[in-house]
Amino acid sequence: MNSEHYFDWAATAPCDEKILREALETSIQYDGNPSSQHQTGKEARKILEEARARCAGILKVRPEQVFFTSGGTESDHIPLLSVLNSPKKGRIILSAIEHPALREECALLKKQGFDVVSVNPDKNGFISPESIIEKLTPDTLFVTVMAVNNETGCIQPIYEIADAISEATKGKKKPHFHVDCVQAAGKIPLDLSYRGIDSAALSAHKISGPRGIGLLYLAKPVNSFLVGGGQEQNIRSGTENLFGALAFSKCLEKYYLNEKNPNQEAKKRFEEQKEWTLDFLKKLKTLEKCRLVPALREDFSEEAQSTFSPWVLQAAFLGIPGNVMVRALDAKGFCISTGSACSAKKQSRPILAAMNASREIQDSAVRFSFGPKTKKQAMDDLFEAIKEIVSEF
């Protein structure tokens, strides 16, 4: 992939070739089934457990709390579907800005008789702890709020929500609190060990790892609804992906940000991107037809900008349908999107609708997303290309 003018990192990140090649070579060398009891299998198991321990060390959790999956979607599904093993069909609370992996699965659970309640964000795309607590009932089984929205870049107050749920249910059975961290891990400082967070989903290909490998953090085991060969402590059955696990662990090592043990190189790049994104936002605002989404993004103060990921931003160009802007920029050699790749073929914009954005904004909004290989000059080139397109309409 030519990453020079690639601005769709939120969909997938260009791979870290060195890490992937080394992981592939190792997986070829240790090609046994990690669950086999013979020497070849044991050697593969050793490499797998080293990758698990590396992930755990980086995430500041215990190795037995780390489970390898096929991706972010499965890492969302495993804890959510564990409610199917509950004695009674209680309440499930999700934010209205969740990824389709959770939103669509919750819709199916609703058809199965669960009381599924969606919580809308405010006009700027944020879910408040109070809005979650208002929906809590004694039979609430599961609550899910993503860490960073994949379209707007809004950083959700997951720690405050975790605290609020724990406080509201003190002395009672606390519902499982799950966090989709796919757009947060390796992009903003993240603390999975925070008390009250029961599970979290991560995906390798969002931080330059291979597609088809994810990670599920579980503070304590859940009663998995899907069973099979018993791999991953009976949480996720299926032959282990040694190549993927090893590559993911190395990508986390290189890109993960954690305030308790900051990766200085990744932290420096993070601070740099904040400056570049702010400059890009200011340039976009000079275009008469441009509307930054949400409106709070137009507040260039440090306090306001700190509530957004610098790696993802959304803007609408009035009078230019989003899919037209995507094609026009593609013709000029720039890759962007209208939103989640998992929803690319759908015309609806449920996240913007939940924010009560106008139909015009929904129809014309596009997403720009960046990564470690993004260059400042490339972002300047992108703005000039947008400026040309806007002038033509």
Side-chain angles (χ1 to χ4, degrees):
M1 180 188 292
N2 178 9
S3 61
E4 184 68 20
H5 285 160
Y6 181 76
F7 299 103
D8 198 20
W9 287 71
T12 198
C15 71
D16 189 309
E17 290 187 33
K18 184 174 185 295
I19 288 177
L20 265 65
R21 289 184 189 281
E22 289 179 354
L24 180 59
E25 289 174 4
T26 300
S27 67
I28 291 173
Q29 181 181 356
Y30 297 93
D31 57 354
N33 188 318
S35 293
S36 295
Q37 297 304 302
H38 47 63
Q39 187 59 33
T40 300
K42 290 178 180 178
E43 290 173 352
R45 166 63 61 180
K46 183 174 182 292
I47 299 299
L48 178 70
E49 294 310 320
E50 286 175 355
R52 192 189 313 279
R54 185 178 300 110
C55 291
I58 296 161
L59 301 176
K60 303 299 178 186
V61 300
R62 301 192 306 275
E64 61 268 25
Q65 296 176 313
V66 172
F67 304 86
F68 293 115
T69 69
S70 65
T73 293
E74 189 177 27
S75 294
D76 282 331
H77 283 178
I78 290 172
L80 173 60
L81 293 180
S82 69
V83 302
L84 290 169
N85 285 318
S86 301
K88 295 181 180 179
K89 294 180 178 178
R91 172 166 286 194
I92 297 171
I93 301 173
L94 77 156
S95 81
I97 59 171
E98 293 305 301
H99 187 274
L102 284 161
R103 189 173 63 245
E104 299 298 332
E105 195 66 40
C106 282
L108 288 178
L109 288 172
K110 187 172 185 177
K111 292 180 180 179
Q112 299 302 314
F114 286 86
D115 177 22
V116 176
V117 176
S118 179
V119 177
N120 282 340
D122 63 20
K123 64 180 181 180
N124 286 308
F126 297 98
I127 301 293
S128 71
E130 294 76 18
S131 65
I132 296 295
I133 300 307
E134 285 176 4
K135 302 296 183 181
L136 278 180
T137 56
D139 68 340
T140 299
L141 301 170
F142 192 88
V143 179
T144 181
V145 180
M146 66 187 350
V148 174
N149 185 258
N150 52 298
E151 292 190 19
T152 64
C154 295
I155 300 174
Q156 303 302 321
I158 56 171
Y159 310 117
E160 292 83 351
I161 292 172
D163 287 341
I165 293 172
S166 296
E167 182 62 29
T169 58
K170 189 176 291 185
K172 309 170 188 174
K173 183 173 174 57
K174 187 181 89 68
H176 185 106
F177 180 45
H178 175 72
V179 182
D180 183 328
C181 294
V182 167
Q183 294 295 340
K187 300 185 179 185
I188 66 168
L190 184 65
D191 181 11
L192 292 188
S193 64
Y194 194 87
R195 187 173 182 178
I197 295 178
D198 298 303
S199 62
L202 286 72
S203 181
H205 78 101
K206 304 296 186 180
I207 54 170
S208 297
R211 290 170 291 239
I213 181 74
L215 185 151
L216 170 64
Y217 159 71
L218 286 174
K220 58 183 179 181
V222 296
N223 191 3
S224 181
F225 180 71
L226 299 174
V227 295
Q231 293 89 344
E232 297 296 297
Q233 302 177 58
N234 282 313
I235 296 296
R236 195 272 178 181
S237 292
T239 302
E240 301 91 341
N241 180 353
L242 184 62
F243 158 69
L246 182 57
F248 198 176
S249 71
K250 292 292 187 178
C251 285
L252 280 175
E253 189 173 57
K254 184 173 181 178
Y255 299 109
Y256 193 77
L257 284 164
N258 188 318
E259 295 292 2
K260 294 180 181 178
N261 184 24
N263 178 329
Q264 291 303 321
E265 187 176 342
K267 189 174 187 298
K268 180 182 177 182
R269 182 66 188 86
F270 174 65
E271 294 298 328
E272 189 176 54
Q273 188 60 43
K274 288 199 286 189
E275 294 180 10
W276 295 359
T277 298
L278 181 59
D279 179 67
F280 186 66
L281 287 165
K282 288 178 178 178
K283 286 180 178 178
L284 287 177
K285 269 301 293 175
T286 65
L287 303 178
E288 185 180 351
K289 294 179 180 179
C290 180
R291 300 290 184 273
L292 299 181
V293 183
L296 182 61
R297 202 98 199 221
E298 297 182 2
D299 180 345
F300 299 136
S301 68
E302 183 177 351
E303 181 182 5
Q305 292 301 315
S306 68
T307 60
F308 295 95
S309 167
W311 307 103
V312 180
L313 69 90
Q314 191 162 216
F317 300 90
L318 305 183
I320 308 176
N323 57 356
V324 172
M325 177 60 82
V326 170
R327 291 198 299 269
L329 280 170
D330 188 40
K332 291 179 178 290
F334 296 86
C335 298
I336 69 162
S337 66
T338 54
S340 169
C342 298
S343 302
K345 295 181 180 179
K346 300 178 182 178
Q347 297 300 313
S348 62
R349 301 297 298 271
I351 292 171
L352 292 179
M355 292 164 56
N356 204 28
S358 69
R359 186 70 251 178
E360 185 177 25
I361 292 292
Q362 292 184 47
D363 291 341
S364 58
V366 294
R367 180 183 70 184
F368 306 101
S369 51
F370 317 109
K373 294 181 184 177
T374 300
K375 305 295 184 185
K376 177 64 166 65
Q377 183 58 55
M379 293 180 68
D380 292 340
D381 295 343
L382 173 62
F383 172 72
E384 292 302 322
I386 294 169
K387 187 177 178 181
E388 288 179 12
I389 294 168
V390 170
S391 68
E392 294 171 1
F393 280 83

